[in-house]
Amino acid sequence: MIIDIALPVALAWLGSLFAYSGSLKLIQPAALRIRVIEGYDVLPASAARLVGTLLPHVELAVGALILLTPYGRIGAVAAGALGAAFAIGASAVLARSIHTECGCAGVASGQVRPATLARALLMMFAASAVAIAGSPIPSLVGWPILAAALIPACLTLRRTFVARQSTSPIRSGVSR
Amino acid sequence: MRPFLKVSRRSLIGSLAGATIGVMSFAYPGLARVITNDSRSRAAVPTPAEDKDPTFWSGRVTAKTADHLTVTSAEGTRIVRVAPGPTVWKEFDVSIDAIEIGDSVMAKGEPQADGSLLARPGWVFVNGGQWDGTISALRPGGLTVRRHDGVDRVIAFSSRLQVITAAKQRPVAAGVGALTVGRQIGMVGLGLPDRSLRATRIWIYR
């Protein structure tokens, strides 16, 4: 009974988390994403550039795969692999006492903390459980979850737009 | 039947709300910041939080033009206007052209009516870093400094390096020659992508 509820909840969390995180990363400049990956100091510069460029797209794809398709278990496997990669990165940062942004939520990210590692481990655990015994989320439920997960990115985009508009020469009265 | 534990409705609701926010913040990192920032900027003009110094802003450069930077942090997004000419510190005195997307910026200046910050010339610091510790090794053109918690950082010497005493802030006659293993020092300089620091000022504690 508990499993029947826990597995779809875990799947919905994984899908929404990757959609949320991927969309917030995607709306920040690629150079900033690459800086964040470099801050972990676990990858060579060329690999950090590749990961920083591709990661938001991969996360969004995993989120969509989980929430919108009947291949939720495949998405869970991919989510587990990403969770393992995050766990390794966070462990490496914490073990060396490096203070760096986690990059989990784009510009709203905090520092890498033990909670970052705990979340990555929980992702791995949830993904493993879903991959072994899960069932796909009905698309009627998946679409609203995906839409809700994208709201924070829309709010951030709006705020950046407002900041730029409010300082445009016309609105601020600055003469040039 | 008497209740086992007396809890007021208000404190129960408060506890539940707190627990929900805690769980959501763990499940979706940064969510609280995204939402609270948006509610703060509903006045259409982005302003720093009330408890923050309005004359200061720091964060990452997310966009730039010829005369201003868009600087974003967990606190929000703010436009920082930069005066023309070499008014920016990035190891040397440089212009806004030397600032790149992703650079870390600290700026001090006058808040403008439109919510932006007009930076004072010389008060925009880019990728500035600080480190304190004991010299653990000497290297060609630099050294390694061990912090109190055992973390080492590679330090390179900037071409504009000053070596001074911490007590009187006076230049040390021997310059970098005074930097020997075991010395306790502090420094500021340019933080580099490989986590090393190019020191522009080193002070010797003893």
Side-chain angles (χ1 to χ4, degrees), chain A residues 44-114:
Chain A
S46 55
R49 194 170 299 117
L50 186 68
V51 171
T53 305
L54 294 181
L55 186 60
H57 304 279
V58 172
E59 288 187 345
L60 276 172
V62 170
L65 190 67
I66 290 173
L67 294 173
L68 304 180
T69 74
Y71 308 110
R73 292 171 82 165
I74 297 172
V77 172
L82 286 170
F86 296 150
I88 292 168
S91 303
V93 166
L94 291 171
R96 291 174 293 163
S97 303
I98 293 174
H99 296 277
T100 191
E101 287 173 35
C102 76
C104 320
V107 293
S109 302
Q111 300 271 311
V112 175
R113 298 180 196 286

Side-chain angles (χ1 to χ4, degrees), chain A residues 9-88:
Chain A
V9 168
L11 200 54
W13 174 59
L14 286 171
S16 58
L17 176 61
F18 279 106
Y20 162 81
S21 184
S23 58
L24 281 171
K25 286 188 183 91
L26 193 63
I27 60 171
Q28 67 177 160
L32 205 53
R33 298 199 299 264
I34 293 165
R35 287 279 177 102
V36 170
I37 302 294
E38 286 173 344
Y40 278 72
D41 200 18
V42 290
L43 294 173
S46 55
R49 194 170 299 117
L50 186 68
V51 171
T53 305
L54 294 181
L55 186 60
H57 304 279
V58 172
E59 288 187 345
L60 276 172
V62 170
L65 190 67
I66 290 173
L67 294 173
L68 304 180
T69 74
Y71 308 110
R73 292 171 82 165
I74 297 172
V77 172
L82 286 170
F86 296 150
I88 292 168

Side-chain angles (χ1 to χ4, degrees), chain B residues 29-186:
Chain B
L31 181 61
R33 288 196 197 102
V34 173
I35 291 170
T36 52
N37 276 337
D38 187 67
S39 61
R40 228 181 260 153
S41 65
R42 276 187 190 138
V45 174
T47 52
E50 288 74 12
D51 56 338
K52 300 285 179 188
D53 177 3
T55 66
F56 177 81
W57 194 251
S58 66
R60 297 273 188 179
V61 177
T62 51
K64 64 173 265 195
T65 67
D67 64 355
H68 72 250
L69 308 168
T70 304
V71 180
T72 304
S73 71
E75 305 297 325
T77 296
R78 198 173 188 192
I79 300 295
V80 175
R81 298 180 181 282
V82 180
T87 59
V88 173
W89 182 95
K90 192 176 180 183
E91 187 180 1
F92 305 100
D93 294 331
V94 296
S95 72
I96 192 172
D97 298 337
I99 300 177
E100 296 171 13
I101 302 293
D103 278 350
S104 175
V105 165
M106 288 189 291
K108 185 95 173 161
E110 285 72 46
Q112 303 295 292
D114 60 12
S116 65
L117 182 73
L118 178 61
R120 289 182 210 153
W123 285 75
V124 179
F125 300 95
V126 181
N127 295 340
Q130 187 177 354
W131 197 251
D132 275 274
T134 306
I135 299 173
S136 55
L138 302 177
R139 308 157 56 91
L143 32 87
T144 305
V145 176
R146 182 161 297 162
R147 204 168 54 184
H148 63 86
D149 56 3
V151 177
D152 280 328
R153 192 165 192 187
V154 173
I155 308 298
F157 297 145
S158 168
S159 59
R160 60 170 294 187
L161 173 67
Q162 293 178 305
V163 181
I164 60 172
T165 59
K168 295 187 176 177
Q169 303 273 302
R170 288 189 183 147
V172 175
V176 294
L179 303 171
T180 53
V181 173
R183 286 266 199 183
Q184 201 176 344
I185 61 173

Side-chain angles (χ1 to χ4, degrees), chain A residues 139-167:
Chain A
S139 61
L140 276 176
V141 180
W143 277 106
I145 294 174
L146 180 66
L150 297 179
I151 287 173
C154 297
L155 294 178
T156 305
L157 263 183
R158 171 187 167 276
R159 193 166 56 245
T160 306
F161 179 73
V162 167
R164 286 181 187 166
Q165 284 292 301
S166 67
T167 52

